[in-house]
Amino acid sequence: MHDVDWMTSYLDSRRSYVRWKDCVSDHAAVDAGVPQGSSLGPQLFSLYIAPLAGLIRSFGVRYHQYADDTQLYIEISKDNADVRLSMLEQCILSVHEWLLHNGLALNPSKSDAIQFTTGRVRGGVDIATVSVSGVAIKPAETVKSLGVVLDRRLTFDQQVNNVCKACYFHIRALRHVRCSLPDDVAKTVACSIVSTRLDYCNGLYAGMTSANITKLQRVQNTLARVILRQRKFDHITPALVELHWLPIRQRITFKLASITFKLRLTQQPAYLSELITNYEPCRQLRSSSQGLLQVSRTKTVLASRAFAHSAVAVWNGLPLDIRDCTTVDTFRRHLKTFLFNTAFAA
């Protein structure tokens, strides 16, 4: 999940955000290096392209890099729209020049831009185009980042539809061969080809609409019926209990809580760790030793879905004995038991 959670972590004010993504491809002039797919390839490429980060920071633009993808994003308000957009375009131009100088190329046809906004701000900013290497890129309604479809208002409607479509495709295939599989094998196959899709980056679904949560829950219910060979209208709760599966809403909570625990334990990755701080009251209170996180205020519902707020809300809502766990395995085991009992309480 942490690959894309930064996208929601800067939505704490009534402003718009523009993100730009470029794809870097090897230039034809490069005639040295290691074969593609080699074990040293990723490390050497990371070292080779590392100076690009300092160049981007010099423009005051935030960024994220993954393999040969570079994502730039900048905060824009009505008062500074022209200046900030010009800053972003100058940064993109400098990145383009740096890549050419170092034997790489920026591909405008594989670059895209998107403007994130609540859509409720009066007199909001509407970005027409973003210049990428002299090519005007019109902000899209949706973009895909690491397999997750992001829309302008971060509703994840299209992402959920895509996940459901892919899951139902594999469930139909599993139904055809279910009679030939032992129960344990069927459960393993179901978890590997369907449940993994439901869990992928599901920390982003915090605060998502109940309608989208229901769509994902129907997928899990259908999968459980196929594994246990139940009829369509059989009650689903006993099936989920028998399989010991957490419902979708609790799986989202599980992901956020697990990430938060690892952040408090290792402080890595730094770009997420800096978003949460331990609760330290100005005077000695009983809550001082409860292992709580500092709660920050937000003005919009969309802002409350940011990792800096949703993770804190989930963490502070856990029992003290779970927050006091010292190892990841112990924490995950106690957390799943707590969420399971909460979801299926009599």
Side-chain angles (χ1 to χ4, degrees), residues 6-17 116-118 152-154 298-306 309:
W6 58 268
M7 194 63 62
T8 58
S9 63
Y10 293 95
L11 294 173
D12 299 343
S13 61
R14 291 172 174 263
R15 295 181 176 180
S16 300
Y17 291 77
F116 296 106
T117 178
T118 62
R152 286 170 57 92
R153 299 186 184 181
L154 295 177
T298 61
K299 295 182 179 180
T300 64
V301 174
L302 183 60
S304 67
R305 295 175 54 193
H309 305 288

Side-chain angles (χ1 to χ4, degrees), residues 198-199 202-203 205-206 213 216-217 220 240 244-258 314 318 332 335-345:
L198 295 175
D199 291 338
N202 62 343
Y205 301 157
I213 296 292
L216 296 175
Q217 188 60 56
Q220 188 185 52
L240 296 179
H244 212 262
W245 284 358
L246 290 175
I248 296 299
R249 197 176 296 276
Q250 281 70 30
R251 296 172 89 94
I252 295 171
T253 301
F254 184 88
K255 176 65 73 63
L256 285 173
S258 299
V314 167
L318 297 178
R332 291 169 63 92
L335 176 62
K336 183 175 181 179
T337 301
F338 167 74
L339 294 176
F340 189 85
N341 293 334
T342 301
F344 301 109

Side-chain angles (χ1 to χ4, degrees), residues 2 20 85 95 102 123 133 156 168 174 183 196 206 211 267 269 284 315 334:
H2 71 268
W20 168 82
L85 184 59
V95 168
N102 289 273
S133 301
F156 293 102
Y168 282 127
L174 177 61
D183 292 345
T196 52
Q267 286 75 51
Q284 189 63 28
W315 180 262
H334 285 78

Side-chain angles (χ1 to χ4, degrees), residues 1-8 19 66 71 143-150 154-160 163 167 194-208 212-213 216 248-259 271-272 305-307 310:
M1 173 194 132
H2 71 268
D3 294 324
V4 292
D5 272 354
W6 58 268
M7 194 63 62
T8 58
R19 189 202 67 150
Y66 182 81
Q71 299 177 342
V143 296
K144 181 176 287 188
S145 178
L146 299 177
V148 177
V149 179
L150 305 172
L154 295 177
T155 64
F156 293 102
D157 291 345
Q158 187 61 48
Q159 167 65 12
V160 170
V163 170
C167 289
V194 178
S195 294
T196 52
R197 287 177 165 81
L198 295 175
D199 291 338
Y200 180 68
C201 289
N202 62 343
L204 293 173
Y205 301 157
M208 191 172 61
N212 282 335
I213 296 292
L216 296 175
I248 296 299
R249 197 176 296 276
Q250 281 70 30
R251 296 172 89 94
I252 295 171
T253 301
F254 184 88
K255 176 65 73 63
L256 285 173
S258 299
I259 292 175
Y271 69 89
L272 288 181
R305 295 175 54 193
F307 180 83
S310 59

Side-chain angles (χ1 to χ4, degrees), residues 174 177 181 184-195 223 227:
L174 177 61
V177 299
L181 300 177
D184 56 338
V185 174
K187 184 176 180 180
T188 300
V189 172
C191 291
S192 63
I193 66 176
V194 178
S195 294
L223 180 64
I227 294 176

